[in-house]
Amino acid sequence: MVLFISGGEIFVIMLIVVMVFGADKIPEIARGLGKGMRQLKDATNEIKHEIQKSAEDSGIDTDIASDVQNEINKVKEDIDDMSGPIKRQF
């Protein structure tokens, strides 16, 4: 999801960026943004890993999300089984 920005709006934004920074600075800016995003992703992955490791060391069940997803899937299947004949009638 790109924050509901259309192609025309992206074009206008890129035009403004070229006018403000110049065409020669855009690769440097993009490289800096890429490095920043990579560092942010690495940091969040490291934090997730540390939280999961400390939870496992404490004996906390970390498979709660998969258990919830399994229950949701069971309910969806039950609803589909019940609504199947209803959908065919209409």
Side-chain angles (χ1 to χ4, degrees):
M1 190 159 77
V2 188
L3 301 174
F4 307 109
I5 297 177
S6 68
E9 293 168 339
I10 291 174
F11 178 74
V12 171
I13 292 170
M14 291 302 293
L15 183 66
I16 292 171
V17 168
V18 169
M19 289 172 43
V20 171
F21 295 109
D24 56 336
K25 297 287 183 184
I26 292 177
E28 294 175 27
I29 294 170
R31 199 172 4 261
L33 286 173
K35 286 181 182 178
M37 290 174 65
R38 182 65 183 169
Q39 288 176 348
L40 181 64
K41 184 178 178 182
D42 290 343
T44 56
N45 285 338
E46 185 178 333
I47 290 170
K48 287 179 188 178
H49 179 67
E50 289 296 323
I51 290 172
Q52 188 172 14
K53 182 180 174 185
S54 65
E56 288 173 356
D57 290 344
S58 299
I60 298 173
D61 184 20
T62 57
D63 294 330
I64 294 173
S66 63
D67 293 341
V68 170
Q69 188 63 42
N70 289 337
E71 290 298 321
I72 290 172
N73 290 336
K74 287 179 186 176
V75 170
K76 284 181 181 179
E77 289 174 7
D78 291 342
I79 290 173
D80 286 341
D81 289 342
M82 289 177 15
S83 65
I86 296 172
K87 289 180 183 177
R88 285 186 228 125
Q89 290 179 0
F90 293 108

